[in-house]
Structure formats: C-alpha cells, structure tokens
Amino acid sequence: MLYPNSPEAALRFLKFVNASPTPFHAVENASLRLEKAGFQKLQEKDNWENSIQPGGKYFFTRNQAALVAFTIPAKWKQGAGLSIVATHVDSPNLKVRPISKRTNSGYLQVGVETYGGGIWHSWLDRDLSLAGRVIIKDGNGRYKSKLLKINRPLLRIPTLAIHLDRSVNDNFEFSQETEFIPILGLLESQLNAKKDDNKAENPHSNQKASSIQANHHSQLLSLLAAELSVVPEDIHDFELSLYDTQPATLGGIDNEFIFSPRMDNLVSSFCAVESIAETASLQTFPTLEGNVNCIALFNHEEIGSVSTSGAESSLIPSLLNRLSPTPAALAQSISGSFLISADMGHAIHPNYTSKHEDNHQPSLNGGVVVKTNAKQRYASDAISTFIVKQLIERKGGQVQEFEVRNDMACGSTVGPMLSKIGIRTVDVGNAMLSMHSIRETAGSRDIQNAIDLFSAFFEGFAELDRSLTVD
C-alpha cells in the first residue's frame, strides 16, 4: 500500500486535486461528486419555482467556473436563512496569451500571462503541461466548450546556468516579461511542418475573424486538436493554463504532510463539497431543520473576485432572492443566514518564525484556524468566532488562532465582500506552508478537521443559533 495508515480524507483529496488543474476541472469534479450524492443540476436560465421542493438537493454552475449547491430542509419555507460555506477554486498560475506564438534562438515558445500573486520562481525548471477549456465546432456544426488536460510534460521555463550568472545565489531576480517564457520545442520541428501547417502559421494569410490559427504554433493547435478528436480548424478559442505535472502526494516520516499544487484553495473547496454531500446522504437528513445548507465555490478570488463567477457577482444574492422572492422574506433570510469563509491560512514556518505574531502561530495538523483582523481584512467578530468554535467543539476538534503582526500587511478572502450583504461571517482555514508556490505543504489530518467543521455547521447550526441572543 502506497500510504499505509494515512487519513482516508487526505487520500480522497489527492485524487480531487490531481484531477483539477484548473477551476473548470474543479467545478466539473465537484459536480460529479454531487450528482453521485443525489443532487439535481439546475440551470440559472430556467424558472425554479416548480423545481425546488422541500427535502431536495440541488446545484448549479456558472460559466463552468463557479458552483453553488444547496439542500432544502423538509419543513422549509420562504424566509429561511442560508448556512453557507464559501471557498474559491482558482490559484495563481500562468495563462496562455491570446496570441501565444513566439520564437527565439531556435526555440518554439509560448507567451503567457501571470495570474494572481504567485511565487513565480517556484515555476522554474518544472515539468509543465496545459489544461483548461477549448471552444470547438462539433460534427453537427454546433459549438461547445470542452475541458482539456494534457497528461504529459509539454513546457518548461529553464533557469540560467550558474556558470552564466555567478550572482544567482546572492540576489536572484528575473523579468516576468522577458525571462519567464516557456519553451515548447525546437524551431526545426516548425520548419519541418507540413506545408498546410505552415500556411496556417502565416499571420498575413486570409484568416476569418473567428480564426485563431495564426495566433499560436501549428504544433500546439495540432496537439490540442488530437486530444479533443477534432481538426485544428475546429478550434475557435480557448482558456488554457499551465500546471505542474508532478502529482500531489503525501509525505513526511508518518505521511503527516501533503505536498501538492493548488491547495489554496482546493483544500477548502474539496472539504465543502464532501461535507454537504455526506450530510445530504445521512439517514438523519430528512429530519434536519432550520436553514438551507449551501456551499459556494467561486472563481477569481486571487485577482479580486470581480467577475460573473467571483464572490462579488450575483451568485449568492441571486440564490437568496430565488428562495425568498419577497422583500420581507429576503430580509428575514439574510438575518438568519451565516457564512463560513474558508480559505487556507499561514502555518508557522520553522525557518522564519519572526514572520508570525508571538501568540498567533498555527501549526500543521493542529486543527482549524480562526482568522481575525481588526481592519476587517477578515470578517470574523466575537459572535461569529463563538459560533464556529462551538461547532468545532461538537466534533471534538481543536481551534487555532491567527492574527497578523502589526508591521505586516494582511491578506483577505471572500468573507469581507460577502458580509456586505448583511450575512454574519467568520473567516477560517487550514494551516499551510509555501502558500502560492507551485508546490505547497499542508497537514494530512487537517482535511478531516475541515470536513468535520462544515458537517457540524450543516447539522447543528440552527439549534446553536436559537440558543444565542445578540440583538
């Protein structure tokens, strides 16, 4: 057995993250998990009035890049609140440019744009490939968006040999524009291409406005077409990202670590999907009362969340309005709602202990981290942290606290922007090292810790909320 005596939830996470190199794949894999648990897919364009029923389990996606799932209590009525776990499925990466074709010194290169705040030097000398979605024309002349994941090393951003830069270990810097361009192959392969392919490479040829053939290397388009079982001319556009082909794995002397890409924030997204799927499959599910349980997997958090599929979109307000369509019911629903903003947190680093405040030093496998910031970069307050700590305690879990030093800037999450709706919000996450590196490190036992919190939230928030008086 590859991982003896390892946490089962962590092993399931490995499968999820390895199959999810882009937000599109993460949403697709989350959808498959929900459908397996009996969730019914809805379309936003449809009228839900006759579709939503008490005791039902539903989900919908937007633009293949965001997902919202929810379960309706058996005694549900309009005005009921939502118990929401909100995460994001995007991570810092490199995206292929609309015109990616580049050559230099005998190499075929692919132009890329940085996305988010990545630790970009960690992308150097890695075995990279491509994944995303491609707009193709099928045999019936219709267009569709199809997911793509090339399962072999294809690209690389090589470093400069130390013999050509003796100062590299003293002060390593590089230009993200001119010294961060992946190589795809050698130019001789381009010169040996078929004449038809070379014709497609000519940017001055008579191209239709919708054609992208002149924008990318013909070998690249041919490879994409072969993966999708179409001809290159049937590819009309794409959104492709680079990803590290090295699979996620458990590590450490007792497999206590996870070494993986994209754990910020696919860990939280995986745990949210698992918890709502497991809760909806319990024999006690038909007896659950109170709020509508909900998860929201957003896109574009790493660049500000301002998009149709980001946390500042209409996704949550739209769901609130559909379930409680009158002004009075909507106000009641917002007042009774609670949101857990789940995003990864910073574990204490043994080589950089001074980067943490002395009394706020979360550790790997130490339990869920509650994140607080007086400037409201996190949305937690005394009421919301009390609630989440009570829920963690119900499952026998442990709580860790994180607050940033006064002399350091604090990151943020989807929590503060969603709290503007009026929903009570708390910010939590699992501790990790090397956030935004191409290879991050987290605790293998913390996967179950997060699932336990979200499950306790879905199973017991209504009872806990009734016992609390604030206003």
Side-chain angles (χ1 to χ4, degrees), residues 120-135:
W120 298 123
H121 68 77
S122 68
W123 285 72
L124 301 175
D125 292 330
R126 304 295 301 186
D127 298 341
L128 306 173
S129 195
L130 293 171
R133 64 177 177 180
V134 183
I135 311 301

Side-chain angles (χ1 to χ4, degrees), residues 250-360:
L250 298 189
I253 194 69
D254 290 318
N255 286 326
E256 61 264 63
F257 302 136
I258 303 174
F259 304 142
S260 170
R262 302 180 297 281
M263 283 195 284
D264 175 25
N265 190 29
L266 289 188
V267 164
S268 302
S269 299
F270 168 80
C271 294
V273 172
E274 287 297 298
S275 61
I276 199 168
E278 291 176 0
T279 301
S281 301
L282 294 173
Q283 290 185 347
T284 56
F285 171 69
T287 67
L288 293 181
E289 299 180 357
N291 281 7
V292 172
N293 289 333
C294 174
I295 64 170
L297 279 52
F298 295 108
N299 194 20
H300 296 140
E301 189 273 345
E302 298 293 356
I303 55 170
S305 296
V306 182
S307 70
T308 59
S309 53
E312 283 217 45
S313 71
S314 62
L315 279 164
I316 294 300
S318 175
L319 179 61
L320 285 163
N321 275 284
R322 282 183 182 256
L323 296 179
S324 297
T326 68
L330 177 61
Q332 282 184 301
S333 179
I334 292 173
S335 178
S337 296
F338 191 92
L339 185 141
I340 295 178
S341 168
D343 207 344
M344 300 297 279
H346 300 294
I348 185 72
H349 195 304
N351 299 334
Y352 302 92
T353 57
S354 64
K355 297 299 183 179
H356 277 67
E357 203 279 330
D358 289 346
N359 292 322
H360 298 82

